[in-house]
């Protein structure tokens, strides 16, 4: 029936209208055809599924169900075994072979096999990554090898492979430490050092559902974070021999640091810092103000070594190899120079990935490039949804934990959207016959402009759900920022980056870096202009996993289906948007260690109390849809404080008390509706909700929402939750106490917060490594 035909087939009746458009038949959708398709009912569904099968579009769904299995494994509680899901997966696969002639049973069995396989591979990865995690805050001294060094405007950050950690048994000693130091004093990767440090367990999420730093560091083998409290001492004769893998990693990091310094000093200023990050992935020299400008312009992804960099690096090597081979008529006529160029592109991309530090985003992008350029070797289409699914299966098998992070999610969402757009426009025609040269030039210029706008818009829409969920931030002018800067990045900045890297060993790179600096300066100037526009960065309130799942389902339907089934994306998209924008906001956030809280004041905005790090405060504000910085003094306006603690009046007339001295418990347990403290509360505290030391030890960061009838709590974890990256929970008491008869007043503190309660500097372990870009 008509529903089973290709989309482009409905464009014949559009005549000259379709011919006049750069995308031709791709724009010629007949609305009446869609209405007839839905009216056909089951017949339309059968024909659509048949078309999906003919187009071999069922295979990408295997990667989707594989990811579902991984997500289920990370959601499961308790020790995971590899064998049960492995046996189930093998059983489902064997049964699928027996039912391979059944059009319904076969895909269902394959989906179940993929889910079981994903669950098993995630369980295996969790077991293989297991390593000791520091269980308490500790002031001690350590010895170990420096694996990597990242210089910053003040001091730097080091990754240490530990050999000795005083006051910690060998069985409990973390494998790696990540520490900051005010002065590196000539310390280089590969050195054996010792120092005194204040260490703490990798911090958990700052709020329920927020970024879990502890989980990420677990899979990197980092068991503690902190800062050096004295000076770093180099030990010339290490007590143990340097392992081979450490020597290789340290050698690469030294080369990266040397090239970073050369680029930064040659270009100078923030343009030099950004240019160095574009080449080596070292972002420590970029100031936060520059990061804010790039984020507001929607182009922060360019400073993270990921898909854009790897694609351009592979493209430059591919183009150079093919161009050089084509100079010889003999080679061009007798050798498959396109395939040889693909091999050069694969080798160049792999070398660049290793040199840039082999970060997760770069490794993922490398696998995608290897799959797609490998398709050229096999005479297959390079850019296809099938190849994207193959790369996803490989990435998720090697590093299943990346499924939970924004880098993988945003990258694959953007690429899937772009492939779907390319498929949708593949039937476009050239300029109409008889068009003069000027008309053809105008036509192709229009097609180029529409192509840039279309690809940027699709990538922005595809990644928006993940940006809103993970960062609570949207860039309405991201289309403008990318359209203005990416041509410079693609045709000037990144080619210079590749050429400069190739010229660097010969000492001929400085002119190339100068040219690259001109391009980066222009990019920063355009980004600053976009960021200066009103509303360039919009902070949206945090929404839950349910809304994100609905939006993901919509994205999958819109990109993976090629038939009219893609219209099924409309319903989950609408429901997801309603759920996201209708999410109820929390009224109280409590830090995981009780060091501070954010409480909604009478004006409807959050008020921060206590000694909470600025990064944590900013996470709370962003989750509330508040774009203020964690260092803004105004976020502390509205609380009444004295040396004992602070009180904030909720909009409903109920008081919230934050105590730093146990002397305040007697009065506030009687008068406040919610009592928060990092201390242990007395057993008879009559407040409706008590968040104290014992509660936080079992639940971590806590959020409270006030309702007309009481309060609802959300916590980062449960006290009986067993996950290898979580600290061992201690005994705790129930957080919910007997409601007091009246919680309508509290003691009036006599003064505003003293200067001593000002927010301290942000601990280096508190902030994530940066926004992973697509």
């Amino acid at each position: 029936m008509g529903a089973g035909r290709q989309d482009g087939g409905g464009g014949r009746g559009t005549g000259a209208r379709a011919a006049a458009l750069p995308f031709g038949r791709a724009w010629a959708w007949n609305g009446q055809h869609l209405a007839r398709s839905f009216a056909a009912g089951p017949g339309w569904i059968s024909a659509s599924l048949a078309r999906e099968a003919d187009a071999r579009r069922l295979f990408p769904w295997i990667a989707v169900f594989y990811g579902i299995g991984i997500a289920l494994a990370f959601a499961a509680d308790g020790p995971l075994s590899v064998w049960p899901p492995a046996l189930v997966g093998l059983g489902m696969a064997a049964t699928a072979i027996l039912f391979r002639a059944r059009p319904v049973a076969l895909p269902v069995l394959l989906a179940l096999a993929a889910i079981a396989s994903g669950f098993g591979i995630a369980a295996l990865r969790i077991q293989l990554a297991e390593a000791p995690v520091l269980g308490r805050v500790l002031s001690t001294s350590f010895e170990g090898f420096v694996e990597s060094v990242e210089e910053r405007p003040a001091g730097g950050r080091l990754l240490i492979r530990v050999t000795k950690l005083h006051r910690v048994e060998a069985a409990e000693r973390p494998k790696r430490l990540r520490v900051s130091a005010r002065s590196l004093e000539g310390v280089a990767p590969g050195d054996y050092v010792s120092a005194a440090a204040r260490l703490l367990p990798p911090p958990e999420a700052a709020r329920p559902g927020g970024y879990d730093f502890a989980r990420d560091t677990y899979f990197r083998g980092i068991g503690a974070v902190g800062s050096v409290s004295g000076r770093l001492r180099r030990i010339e004769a290490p007590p143990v021999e340097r392992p081979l893998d450490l020597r290789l990693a340290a050698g690469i990091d030294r080369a990266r640091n040397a090239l970073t310094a050369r680029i930064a000093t040659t270009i100078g200023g923030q343009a030099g810092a950004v240019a160095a990050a574009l080449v080596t992935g070292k972002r420590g020299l970029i100031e936060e103000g520059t990061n804010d400008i790039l984020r507001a312009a929607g182009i922060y992804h360019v400073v993270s070594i990921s898909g854009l960099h790897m694609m351009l690096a592979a493209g430059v090597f591919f183009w150079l190899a093919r161009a050089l081979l084509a100079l010889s008529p003999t080679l061009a006529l007798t050798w498959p120079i396109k395939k040889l160029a693909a091999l050069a592109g694969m080798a160049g991309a792999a070398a660049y990935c290793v040199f840039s530090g082999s970060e997760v985003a770069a490794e993922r992008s490398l696998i995608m490039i290897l799959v797609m350029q490998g398709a050229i070797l096999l005479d297959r289409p390079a850019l296809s949804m099938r190849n994207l699914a193959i790369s996803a299966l490989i990435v998720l098998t090697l590093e299943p934990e990346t499924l939970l992070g924004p880098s993988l999610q945003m990258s694959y969402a953007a690429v899937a959207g772009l492939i779907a757009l390319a498929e949708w426009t593949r039937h476009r025609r050239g300029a109409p016959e008889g068009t003069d040269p000027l008309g053809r030039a105008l036509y192709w210029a229009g097609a180029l402009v529409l192509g840039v706008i279309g690809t940027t818009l699709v990538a922005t829409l595809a990644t928006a759900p993940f940006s809103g969920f993970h960062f609570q931030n949207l860039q309405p002018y991201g289309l403008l920022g990318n359209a203005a800067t990416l041509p410079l990045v693609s045709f000037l900045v990144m080619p210079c980056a590749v050429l400069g890297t190739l010229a660097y060993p010969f000492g001929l790179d400085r002119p190339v870096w100068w040219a690259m600096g001109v391009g980066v300066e222009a990019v920063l100037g355009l980004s600053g202009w976009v960021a200066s526009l009103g509303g360039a960065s919009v902070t949206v309130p945090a929404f839950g996993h349910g809304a994100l799942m609905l939006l993901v389902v919509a994205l999958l339907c819109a990109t993976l289906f090629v038939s009219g089934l893609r219209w099924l994306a409309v319903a989950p998209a609408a429901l997801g948007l309603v759920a996201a924008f209708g999410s109820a906001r929390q009224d109280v956030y409590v830090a995981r260690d009780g060091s501070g809280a954010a409480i909604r004041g009478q004006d409807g905005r959050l008020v921060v109390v206590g000694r909470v790090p600025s990064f944590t405060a900013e996470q709370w504000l962003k989750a509330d849809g508040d774009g203020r910085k964690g260092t803004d003094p105004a976020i502390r306006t509205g609380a009444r404080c004295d040396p004992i603690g602070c009180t904030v009046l909720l909009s409903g007339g109920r008081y919230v008390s934050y105590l730093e001295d146990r002397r305040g418990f007697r009065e506030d347990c009687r008068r406040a509706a919610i009592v928060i403290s990092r201390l242990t509360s007395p057993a008879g505290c009559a407040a409706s909700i008590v968040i104290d030391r014992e509660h936080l030890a079992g639940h971590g960061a806590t959020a409270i929402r006030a309702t007309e009838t009481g309060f609802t709590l959300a916590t980062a974890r449960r006290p009986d939750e067993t996950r290898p990256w979580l600290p061992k929970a201690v005994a705790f008491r129930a957080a919910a106490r007997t409601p007091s008869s009246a919680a309508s007043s509290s003691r009036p503190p006599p003064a505003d917060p003293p200067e001593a309660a000002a927010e301290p500097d942000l601990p280096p372990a508190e902030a994530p490594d940066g926004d992973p870009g697509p």
Side-chain angles (χ1 to χ4, degrees):
M1 63 170 54
R5 293 196 302 266
Q6 297 287 334
D7 290 348
R12 294 183 178 178
T14 57
R17 289 186 294 111
L21 294 172
F23 290 105
R25 298 177 186 175
W27 294 95
W29 173 259
N30 191 330
Q32 294 181 354
H33 174 72
L34 177 62
R36 289 196 303 269
S37 298
F38 280 108
W44 170 76
I45 296 177
S46 299
S48 297
L49 290 174
R51 182 183 167 196
E52 298 291 337
D54 291 340
R56 304 180 70 185
R57 292 306 281 263
L58 299 182
F59 178 80
W61 289 97
I62 294 179
V64 173
F65 286 104
Y66 191 73
I68 290 175
I70 293 173
L72 290 175
F74 280 102
D77 185 17
L80 300 180
S81 175
V82 176
W83 295 111
L87 293 175
V88 171
L90 289 174
M92 291 295 104
T95 308
I97 295 175
L98 297 177
F99 286 86
R100 60 185 179 274
R102 302 291 183 89
V104 176
L106 177 62
V108 171
L109 290 170
L110 289 177
L112 293 175
I115 292 174
S117 300
F119 194 103
I121 202 66
L124 178 62
R125 171 63 171 153
I126 292 173
Q127 290 183 9
L128 294 177
E130 188 171 1
V133 176
L134 192 67
R136 65 191 188 280
V137 178
L138 183 66
S139 293
T140 184
S141 59
F142 68 85
E143 292 183 14
F145 292 102
V146 179
E147 284 196 8
S148 66
V149 176
E150 182 175 12
E151 294 188 10
R152 298 193 166 193
R157 191 168 63 185
L158 302 95
L159 185 64
I160 306 293
R161 184 177 298 189
V162 184
T163 58
K164 294 182 181 180
L165 188 61
H166 297 283
R167 298 172 57 193
V168 177
E169 297 293 334
E172 300 177 356
R173 185 176 64 212
K175 182 180 179 180
R176 291 184 177 88
L177 308 177
R178 201 185 78 172
V179 296
S180 64
R182 295 185 181 276
S183 175
L184 298 180
E185 298 182 358
V187 172
D191 290 345
Y192 190 82
V193 298
S194 67
R198 182 176 183 271
L199 303 176
L200 63 152
E204 305 169 52
R207 62 175 180 85
Y211 170 75
D212 193 346
F213 183 81
R215 185 189 63 218
D216 283 0
T217 55
Y218 172 80
F219 290 104
R220 299 181 196 176
I222 301 174
V225 295
S227 57
V228 174
S229 53
R231 59 182 293 269
L232 285 164
R233 296 180 297 277
R234 295 179 58 196
I235 299 176
E236 297 297 336
V240 294
E241 186 179 356
R242 292 179 177 85
L244 177 61
D245 64 328
L246 185 140
R247 294 202 298 269
L248 293 175
I252 292 172
D253 199 66
R254 284 196 299 270
R256 293 175 66 199
N257 289 335
L259 183 55
T260 298
R262 185 174 180 90
I263 297 171
T265 55
T266 300
I267 298 175
Q270 283 300 286
V274 172
L278 286 167
V279 177
T280 67
K282 296 278 188 175
R283 295 175 289 184
L285 297 177
I286 303 178
E287 297 175 356
E288 190 57 31
T290 303
N291 285 329
D292 290 340
I293 288 175
L294 295 173
R295 291 190 184 104
I299 63 166
Y300 188 80
H301 57 88
V302 302
V303 298
S304 173
I305 304 296
S306 57
L308 176 66
H309 306 72
M310 299 300 297
M311 177 192 69
L312 291 173
V316 169
F317 280 105
F318 177 86
W319 181 84
L320 285 176
R322 193 173 186 183
L324 291 175
L325 292 172
L327 293 177
S328 170
T330 302
L331 291 178
L333 294 174
T334 59
W335 287 73
I337 62 172
K338 183 178 180 181
K339 294 182 178 182
L340 295 176
L343 289 174
M346 296 166 72
Y352 182 60
C353 179
V354 171
F355 180 77
S356 65
S358 299
E359 295 292 338
V360 172
E363 290 179 350
R364 182 202 63 242
S365 302
L366 174 63
I367 292 173
M368 293 173 62
I369 288 171
L370 294 179
V371 170
M372 293 179 180
Q373 297 218 344
I376 296 177
L377 300 178
L378 301 176
D379 296 318
R380 299 293 184 92
L383 192 64
S384 71
M385 205 67 74
R386 185 181 182 86
N387 290 344
L388 183 66
I390 293 173
S391 71
L393 289 170
I394 297 174
V395 170
L396 293 177
T397 299
L398 296 175
E399 295 173 322
E401 71 276 6
T402 59
L403 177 71
L404 307 180
S407 180
L408 181 138
Q409 294 170 4
M410 298 176 73
S411 176
Y412 275 92
V415 176
L418 294 176
I419 291 176
L421 176 65
E423 292 176 341
W424 186 59
T425 60
R426 68 182 180 273
H427 297 301
R428 67 180 183 271
R429 297 177 295 186
E433 294 183 5
T435 305
D436 57 21
L438 178 59
R440 285 195 295 271
L442 293 175
Y443 174 88
W444 288 112
L448 178 62
V449 171
L450 287 177
V452 172
I453 294 175
T455 53
T456 305
L457 181 62
V458 166
T460 301
L461 291 176
T463 57
F466 306 103
S467 178
F469 179 81
H470 291 285
F471 308 120
Q472 293 79 55
N473 195 271
L474 298 175
Q475 291 79 33
Y477 304 139
L479 174 62
L480 177 60
N482 280 274
T485 60
L486 285 187
L488 276 171
V489 173
S490 302
F491 298 109
L492 176 59
V493 174
M494 289 309 299
C496 285
V498 175
L499 293 176
T501 303
L502 294 175
Y504 171 62
F506 304 97
L508 303 174
D509 55 320
R510 289 190 183 276
V512 184
W513 301 137
W514 178 85
M516 183 180 179
V518 173
V520 173
E521 285 281 9
V523 168
L524 290 177
L526 291 170
S527 300
W529 171 70
V530 174
S532 67
L533 301 176
S537 182
V538 176
T539 304
V540 297
F543 52 88
H545 290 87
L548 179 65
M549 290 301 101
L550 287 169
L551 294 173
V552 169
V553 170
L555 178 65
L556 292 172
C557 291
T559 57
L560 298 190
F561 286 136
V562 294
S563 67
L565 291 175
R566 64 164 61 100
W567 290 97
L568 296 176
V570 174
L575 292 174
L577 290 173
V578 171
F581 287 101
S583 298
R585 294 186 295 172
Q586 304 289 350
D587 295 298
V588 179
Y589 289 101
V590 184
R592 55 184 162 262
D593 60 354
S595 59
I599 306 163
R600 193 173 307 284
Q602 290 285 293
D603 61 354
R605 307 177 82 183
L606 292 179
V607 179
V608 177
V609 296
R611 296 174 177 267
V612 63
S614 59
F615 172 79
T616 301
E618 193 163 321
Q619 299 310 297
W620 293 339
L621 294 169
K622 290 169 67 176
D624 196 54
D626 191 334
R628 290 179 294 174
K629 293 289 185 182
T631 54
D632 187 348
I635 65 176
R636 296 183 176 271
T637 303
R640 303 183 64 188
C641 300
D642 62 15
I644 292 179
C646 300
T647 58
V648 177
L649 181 64
L650 292 173
S651 58
R654 292 168 286 188
Y655 273 97
V656 178
S657 169
Y658 174 76
L659 293 174
E660 295 185 297
D661 192 313
R662 63 182 66 256
R663 292 175 296 172
F665 278 117
R666 180 176 181 181
E667 180 178 357
D668 286 4
C669 281
R670 178 171 55 88
R671 293 188 175 186
I674 301 175
V675 172
I676 303 167
S677 178
R678 69 191 310 170
L679 307 172
T680 301
S681 65
C685 188
S688 299
I689 299 291
V690 177
I691 308 296
D692 65 355
R693 180 178 182 178
E694 293 180 357
H695 168 91
L696 295 169
H699 296 82
T702 300
I704 305 172
R705 183 166 61 88
T707 64
E708 294 181 359
T709 58
F711 302 95
T712 60
L713 270 72
T715 60
R717 55 184 168 91
R718 301 186 308 276
D720 59 343
E721 193 171 351
T722 56
R723 299 180 188 275
W725 53 84
L726 293 179
K728 303 297 182 183
V730 298
F732 72 99
R733 287 179 294 179
R737 308 299 176 95
T738 304
S740 58
S741 57
S744 58
S745 63
S746 180
R747 60 180 170 79
D752 290 335
E755 187 65 28
E759 184 177 39
D761 292 337
L762 174 65
E766 193 68 18
D769 290 334
D771 299 29

